[in-house]
Amino acid sequence: MRASRPDSAAGRAEAAYLGLALGDALGATVEFMTPREIAHTYGVLRDIRGGGWLNLKPGQVTDDTTMALALGRAILDDGGEVRALSCARAFDAWMRGKPVDIGNTVRRNLIAFRRTGNPEAPPSEYDAGNGAAMRVLPVALASLSWDDAAVRAAVRAQSHVTHNNPVSDAACELIVLCVRDFLRGEPLRQVYRRHIGPALGRHPQFAYRGRRRENPSGWIVDTMQAALQALMDADGFEHCLVDVVNRGGDADTTGAIAGMLAGALYGIEAIPARWLKALDPAVSRACRAQAAALTGGIPTSSGR
């Protein structure tokens, strides 16, 4: 595979996918721990070391990364389209493979899909978890040439398989729009003005200023507050991920979301070599390959 220029959209896409996996692998060590427990055990967690409540091997990832890879395969198999039924089938196959971890909302709505064949979960005010947001990166990579309406439709097609909730939708859409602009080389300040600031106006529950979001839960509001705080206050990729995972809580998912955003923003050269070396080689290859394929001139339908 020919290496992409690190400052190209393809190079930043690779960094975003690896950032997702690295944030996942780093954060999994301290998932469900409090900041005080992390400080007592590790001081500041800076290295990928495995362990955690899932007893992972160093560099092993969780459902955040493996669901994203399942989604990416479905999009590629459909020629670059994001189709709800294909997404549901891909997620169902992923669940049948007995993943290392699976969220309760994901499990419940995939079991319902098996029973009904309907790829859209019913709307629910209780399904505002972060399970749709953690896996949404392939939509951003596949949609660089699409208009905003097509992007919103694609976000909902994959999200509503398991999380049919407007707060979840808003978070997924914001992540995708930010990643797309970062891939084009837009600076953080411009992306804030174009996407983050307006999203906070529409959804003030995502506001992240005031107090530091520690010990974030799996609720998408907590997740977005922690990820946005880390992204906006960091001075680089490593700083962003170390900051967010040491807040504890649902640290693999805050790490994954911050990682995809920071990877797209800072690019591959900003990722620590020791982290890339520690990541599971098969996962690294899969992330790199999907990033290249999803941004590699896939045909799109008219209007996109």
Side-chain angles (χ1 to χ4, degrees):
M1 183 185 302
R2 180 180 296 176
S4 301
R5 285 186 13 249
D7 60 343
S8 67
R12 290 177 181 273
E14 182 177 307
Y17 226 137
L18 290 169
L20 185 165
L22 290 166
D24 181 6
L26 184 69
T29 300
V30 292
E31 186 180 13
F32 302 137
M33 295 176 70
T34 68
R36 181 175 295 182
E37 290 168 340
I38 295 169
H40 177 76
T41 305
Y42 300 107
V44 177
L45 180 70
R46 299 184 184 277
D47 293 300
I48 293 173
R49 57 192 302 159
W53 76 279
L54 291 169
N55 195 28
L56 301 178
K57 297 177 182 177
Q60 189 177 358
V61 296
T62 75
D63 52 336
D64 301 68
T65 305
T66 55
M67 283 202 87
L69 290 168
L71 174 60
R73 285 191 294 272
I75 294 172
L76 290 168
D77 287 347
D78 279 340
E81 298 292 323
V82 184
R83 298 172 179 159
L85 183 57
S86 296
C87 295
R89 287 171 172 165
F91 296 150
D92 182 50
W94 166 84
M95 186 168 69
R96 291 180 187 277
K98 300 187 184 303
V100 67
D101 189 25
I102 183 170
N104 291 332
T105 302
V106 170
R107 184 192 303 275
R108 169 169 46 81
N109 284 319
L110 289 179
I111 289 173
F113 166 68
R114 289 181 184 175
R115 185 176 65 252
T116 67
N118 183 354
E120 182 169 316
S124 173
E125 63 179 305
Y126 301 107
D127 287 355
N130 55 24
M134 71 187 190
R135 66 184 189 233
V136 76
L137 178 63
V139 176
L141 304 187
S143 67
L144 281 176
S145 64
W146 300 1
D147 62 35
D148 287 353
V151 171
R152 285 192 290 272
V155 165
R156 284 154 178 73
Q158 80 86 20
S159 299
H160 289 185
V161 174
T162 56
H163 292 72
N164 192 344
N165 178 278
V167 183
S168 170
D169 290 347
C172 292
E173 182 178 328
L174 177 58
I175 292 167
V176 167
L177 293 175
C178 289
V179 167
R180 281 166 26 113
D181 274 9
F182 289 148
L183 296 184
R184 299 184 182 108
E186 295 286 351
L188 179 57
R189 182 176 300 178
Q190 176 66 25
V191 173
Y192 179 88
R193 286 198 299 263
R194 183 177 296 163
H195 298 304
I196 299 174
L200 297 180
R202 294 189 299 270
H203 303 281
Q205 63 267 52
F206 292 152
Y208 56 90
R209 292 304 182 202
R211 67 184 181 91
R212 179 178 168 87
R213 172 53 65 192
E214 300 276 14
N215 201 27
S217 71
W219 183 33
I220 190 59
V221 170
D222 280 5
T223 300
M224 293 301 292
Q225 288 175 346
L228 289 173
Q229 282 179 346
L231 181 72
M232 297 301 298
D233 294 341
D235 58 11
F237 179 87
E238 182 174 358
H239 182 195
C240 179
L241 266 64
V242 169
D243 178 357
V244 80
V245 303
N246 280 276
R247 298 165 187 247
D250 201 7
D252 60 332
T253 298
T254 57
I257 292 173
M260 66 179 83
L261 290 164
L265 173 61
Y266 292 108
I268 193 73
E269 292 184 338
I271 298 179
R274 72 185 190 281
W275 287 1
L276 291 172
K277 184 176 180 180
L279 186 62
D280 183 307
V283 170
S284 178
R285 288 192 297 270
C287 291
R288 292 175 189 268
Q290 278 203 9
L294 288 165
T295 57
I298 298 170
T300 55
S301 64
S302 60
R304 293 192 173 181

